[in-house]
Amino acid sequence: MEKFTTLRSNAIPLNIENVDTDQIIPARFLKATDKKGFGDNVFRDWRFHKDGSVNSDFVLNDATYSGSILVAGDNFGCGSSREHAAWAIVGYGFKVVVSSFFADIFKGNALNNGLLPVQVSESFLSDLFSEIASNPQTEIEVNLEDQVISVVGKSIAETFEIDAYKKTCLINGYDDIDYLINNKELIEAFEAQRTY
Amino acid sequence: MSKKTLFDKVWDAHVVSSIENGPQILYIDRHLIHEVTSPQAFNELENRGIPIFRPEQIVATADHNTPTLNQDQPIKDALSRKQLEQLSENCKKNNITLYELGHKYNGIVHVMAPELGITQPGITMVCGDSHTSTHGAFGAIAFGIGTSQVAQVFASQCLLLKKPKSLRVTVNGKLKKGVLPKDVILYIISKLGTNSGTGYFCEYAGDVVENMSMEGRMTVCNMSIEMGARGGMIAPDETTFEYIKGRKFAPQGEAFEKKVAYWKTLPSDEGAVFDKEYTFDAADIEPMVTYGTNPGMGIKITESIPVEDNASFQKSLKYMDFKAGESLIDKPINYVFIGSCTNSRIEDFRVAAEYIKGKQKADNVTAWLVPGSKQVEAQIIEEGLKAIFDEAGFELRQPGCSACLAMNDDKIPQGEYCVSTSNRNFEGRQGQGSRTILASPLVAAATAVEGKIIDITKHLN
Ligand code: SF4
């Protein structure tokens, strides 16, 4: 996994609530047996019309906006457990998703793939949306070490929460498998004394 | 001693150790896998040279991506075929039991595992599928995981997790005629919303739940994820023990009695405290339908679509081509799907058959009945339900996830409505541009017969 410390980037605003994993990556793209290529199909049915033509109304197709931060409406990532959703977002080039609320499984999947979900207050989120709307070049900084997200050059900032263990993993680029395997003895001891 | 909830008891019994200020290592008893979310996890382990730690605790099935016609023939779609072949290969290489397509135990993972007695009270169970919450109906801690976590369980039979908070939803009273477990859960989600359960594990309680069959309890727990909860749970009782007894992987004889004695200690202690509680009255629940693009957007079939002034709500209605304030009664419907891990058990087909018997499917309707497993399929035939369906013009297909997520050929065409017994009405869930209305098997059956949505309550009385 790639290490994550601080990121400064423009952002793409996706001002829609309850964005579910079927929208992030529709089921018909789940037939692959590796993790590659999902980025091409992220938000597929919003980016393209059914006849394959580009939907120029959709924000990812709007050249005004760019960057590796996705700012999304409340309850992002609800729906299925498909990690393909995280792979698709990472594959497209995002490193951070900001929302006022994330679905549990999506959040875990994101963290396991070096994608940082930054949960902010509703008022901060609406500030972000209006900043980006008034200036698409708005830069946002996400500092994982200090757990602060801010609008560069403005006094708009907020701290965010992250599990201390997950933070260490992201900063150092390791994952849960490494940790669990190093605890195999404990696990075997647990198995031996199990009573239920 | 402090009072514990059902969830506490099962969770605490599985904690291997705790990281200071961090997650806990939770031991996983049973790991279910299927073709879609496992290949990348197998690859990950292989690339890192890590063996599968406890292959005997894993059971595999093929369900998401399988055809529901001509299962005895080679799969046409090359990618689907490859995915299934890879599953077979991975299972073989790693000594994992696989009930592949066509096997008499094959089926949707959340239908076949309980049926085989793999699901038991007091265990922890995971699967790379969010509706793993279904198994909580037995008093197990069961939840969906992502593919990275599938790899973690492969490698260590454990997961690193923070203990979720506890939520209890109690439904007391007696359900009205024609109100099914599906209506109960759609009602709960319509009241609480799609993220009320996030961060929580939900226990369902009250007489309504106590009086439900195991099939009904599974339907309720299945949709816990639709209110954001990681899982649902119901205290094990005589109904649970009776269901498990004698099944293939259930403990037998004395071992079974010993287990039952343990299982009886699991229900939440009197006075145990939950972080959040909601109580509902069964008398207020009626047959439900959804009108929008998330499962929280549900109404009683007799109610009108609410009027709300926000962009997401309006986007949703626009997608569905419905108007705020209108009723769904008499809406013409061309597709009906009875299936999915929510409602594809024998009881669901019995309800449908009972209503359909002696009636005919409307000409405009394509009606797919997709059993949850080979065993359910066999039972449908054995009980004579297939004859009823055939006569009425319904199409009984072979088991699988089918139109629930439309990964195979079972897709609802662009712009068409489908009254579906599945669990998600997201945009395009049942095929690009498809419009899903979630409902119970009874409402689905009635819709197929009438060719439109009807007020089923009037027909029953
Ligand atoms: S039936 Fe639908 S919800 Fe259930 S496991 Fe299959 S795809 Fe998932």
Side-chain angles (χ1 to χ4, degrees):
Chain A
M1 215 166 72
E2 245 179 84
K3 296 181 184 184
F4 190 113
T5 44
T6 294
L7 175 75
R8 196 186 257 222
S9 167
N10 301 348
I12 299 183
L14 180 63
N15 200 349
I16 299 172
E17 290 175 11
N18 299 314
V19 173
D20 61 74
T21 49
D22 277 81
Q23 307 319 315
I24 300 173
I25 184 85
R28 62 184 188 281
F29 298 114
L30 306 186
K31 296 183 183 181
T33 49
D34 57 30
K35 296 184 186 178
K36 289 187 285 276
F38 288 102
D40 296 341
N41 294 315
V42 73
F43 297 113
R44 179 77 199 194
D45 295 341
W46 286 348
R47 275 162 65 205
F48 299 94
H49 296 298
K50 199 167 180 201
D51 60 11
S53 61
V54 171
N55 172 12
S56 48
D57 290 343
F58 185 59
V59 66
L60 289 198
N61 294 327
D62 183 345
T64 327
Y65 302 104
S66 64
S68 51
I69 298 177
L70 179 67
V71 181
D74 197 55
N75 198 24
F76 186 83
C78 58
S80 92
S81 63
R82 61 185 73 155
E83 195 158 318
H84 314 67
W87 301 334
I89 292 175
V90 172
Y92 189 81
F94 290 112
K95 296 196 159 59
V96 169
V97 188
V98 183
S99 175
S100 49
F101 200 90
F102 290 95
D104 271 347
I105 305 183
F106 176 80
K107 195 184 208 171
N109 286 341
L111 288 165
N112 283 332
N113 286 281
L115 174 70
L116 181 64
V118 176
Q119 186 163 330
V120 297
S121 66
E122 272 174 34
S123 63
F124 186 81
L125 186 68
S126 79
D127 287 351
L128 278 188
F129 278 129
S130 35
E131 286 296 322
I132 300 167
S134 64
N135 173 15
Q137 300 313 316
T138 298
E139 271 197 303
I140 294 173
E141 185 175 286
V142 177
N143 181 328
L144 176 58
E145 256 151 318
D146 299 342
Q147 296 176 221
V148 173
I149 174 168
S150 55
V151 177
V152 175
K154 300 237 171 158
S155 57
I156 303 174
E158 192 169 86
T159 57
F160 61 89
E161 303 259 324
I162 179 169
D163 180 278
Y165 164 81
K166 274 290 165 200
K167 180 174 168 181
T168 318
C169 285
L170 279 175
I171 289 175
N172 296 298
Y174 20 91
D175 69 10
D176 292 353
I177 293 193
D178 300 319
Y179 187 89
L180 287 167
I181 290 194
N182 288 333
N183 281 284
K184 209 155 248 179
E185 272 172 35
L186 270 181
I187 297 169
E188 277 164 343
F190 175 86
E191 286 178 323
Q193 57 78 52
R194 207 156 28 138
T195 52
Y196 57 86
Chain B
M1 236 175 53
S2 69
K3 300 195 165 61
K4 284 184 159 191
T5 64
L6 163 65
F7 176 72
D8 289 334
K9 292 182 195 181
V10 183
W11 180 279
D12 295 351
H14 288 82
V15 175
V16 175
S17 81
S18 304
I19 303 175
E20 224 183 284
N21 294 321
Q24 295 178 306
I25 301 183
L26 191 79
Y27 191 78
I28 304 301
D29 297 312
R30 289 277 175 282
H31 186 189
L32 306 171
I33 61 170
H34 61 84
E35 74 276 25
V36 176
T37 56
S38 68
Q40 291 87 351
F42 280 111
N43 291 348
E44 173 96 29
L45 256 69
E46 204 167 293
N47 293 342
R48 290 164 76 158
I50 304 169
I52 305 250
F53 185 50
R54 297 287 180 245
E56 64 282 5
Q57 285 168 241
I58 309 172
V59 176
T61 184
D63 55 2
H64 280 64
N65 200 356
T66 52
T68 54
L69 291 174
N70 306 322
Q71 290 189 345
D72 53 332
Q73 289 166 27
I75 299 173
K76 287 201 206 91
D77 181 278
L79 285 173
S80 304
R81 199 172 55 236
K82 184 167 166 244
Q83 211 172 41
L84 290 179
E85 283 167 1
Q86 182 128 32
L87 179 71
S88 305
E89 216 174 281
N90 282 330
C91 288
K92 205 159 155 204
K93 226 190 308 183
N94 294 291
N95 288 320
I96 293 167
T97 305
L98 164 68
Y99 298 123
E100 61 196 339
L101 196 61
H103 191 284
K104 65 174 179 181
Y105 296 148
N106 174 262
I108 305 175
V109 61
H110 312 309
V111 177
M112 53 77 72
E115 209 170 57
L116 290 173
I118 296 170
T119 309
Q120 293 172 18
I123 65 168
T124 49
M125 196 167 195
V126 294
C127 174
D129 186 280
S130 56
H131 292 97
T132 309
S133 58
T134 312
H135 308 264
F138 290 79
I141 289 186
F143 54 91
I145 57 177
T147 298
S148 296
Q149 291 174 305
V150 172
Q152 291 161 29
V153 182
F154 278 167
S156 68
Q157 207 54 41
C158 287
L159 284 171
L160 283 167
L161 295 166
K162 269 212 158 137
K163 188 174 177 180
K165 287 183 277 190
S166 63
L167 158 69
R168 179 163 61 186
V169 175
T170 306
V171 189
N172 283 322
K174 200 166 169 287
L175 291 178
K176 290 188 216 163
K177 207 165 154 190
V179 176
L180 301 189
K182 179 63 164 289
D183 299 308
V184 174
I185 189 65
L186 283 174
Y187 173 89
I188 293 172
I189 301 167
S190 77
K191 293 287 172 199
L192 300 182
T194 49
N195 65 21
S196 56
T198 305
Y200 291 84
F201 232 85
C202 177
E203 179 174 341
Y204 301 93
D207 357 302
V208 164
V209 177
E210 281 163 31
N211 292 329
M212 260 181 209
S213 66
M214 285 317 294
E215 283 86 351
R217 292 179 190 183
M218 284 189 255
T219 300
V220 170
C221 287
N222 174 275
M223 290 192 71
S224 304
I225 185 81
E226 263 64 60
M227 56 176 179
R230 269 323 272 284
M233 275 181 117
I234 291 172
D237 60 8
E238 288 305 326
T239 307
T240 322
F241 311 148
E242 214 27 65
Y243 181 96
I244 297 170
K245 198 172 182 174
R247 290 187 187 260
K248 185 171 166 60
F249 292 104
Q252 312 288 337
E254 214 177 300
F256 182 75
E257 297 310 323
K258 255 178 85 182
K259 282 280 184 193
V260 169
Y262 170 63
W263 295 342
K264 285 185 173 163
T265 67
L266 293 173
S268 294
D269 297 330
E270 189 90 31
V273 180
F274 290 78
D275 296 304
K276 214 154 76 166
E277 290 231 40
Y278 297 101
T279 304
F280 296 104
D281 180 1
D284 190 46
I285 308 178
E286 281 180 28
M288 300 285 295
V289 283
T290 61
Y291 59 87
T293 55
N294 75 57
M297 301 174 85
I299 47 174
K300 295 175 188 171
I301 207 163
T302 51
E303 285 176 340
S304 302
I305 297 175
V307 181
E308 269 181 49
D309 183 27
N310 82 61
S312 296
F313 181 84
Q314 273 146 11
K315 178 174 182 292
S316 188
L317 285 200
K318 183 163 169 240
Y319 181 86
M320 293 299 290
D321 196 21
F322 287 149
K323 287 177 200 64
E326 76 173 338
S327 155
L328 294 191
I329 306 257
D330 288 339
K331 282 271 174 205
I333 303 290
N334 295 333
Y335 286 84
V336 169
F337 171 61
I338 302 184
S340 91
C341 57
T342 317
N343 287 115
S344 65
R345 298 182 180 81
I346 189 64
E347 199 176 270
D348 302 313
F349 293 102
R350 284 189 196 132
V351 167
E354 199 191 333
Y355 183 86
I356 291 166
K357 195 171 183 170
K359 301 188 180 83
Q360 275 297 315
K361 173 187 77 66
D363 287 339
N364 61 312
V365 173
T366 303
W368 291 333
L369 307 174
V370 184
S373 70
K374 286 298 271 186
Q375 294 207 65
V376 173
E377 183 188 34
Q379 231 172 328
I380 289 175
I381 297 169
E382 213 171 283
E383 293 185 12
L385 309 183
K386 182 177 185 314
I388 298 174
F389 296 139
D390 286 348
E391 242 161 72
F394 285 70
E395 189 183 345
L396 180 67
R397 295 201 158 204
Q398 290 167 306
C401 292
S402 180
C404 171
L405 91 164
M407 251 188 103
N408 64 1
D409 291 338
D410 307 348
K411 294 181 179 26
I412 308 303
Q414 167 97 12
E416 290 286 357
Y417 293 109
C418 178
V419 169
S420 173
T421 65
S422 55
N423 43 51
R424 287 188 176 139
N425 50 353
F426 298 151
E427 286 183 26
R429 170 80 178 183
Q430 297 193 285
Q432 263 181 288
S434 65
R435 297 171 170 145
T436 303
I437 296 167
L438 302 176
S440 76
L442 177 62
V443 170
T447 307
V449 167
E450 301 295 332
K452 57 183 188 182
I453 296 178
I454 57 160
D455 179 0
I456 184 79
T457 54
K458 276 195 197 136
H459 279 244
L460 292 173
N461 295 324

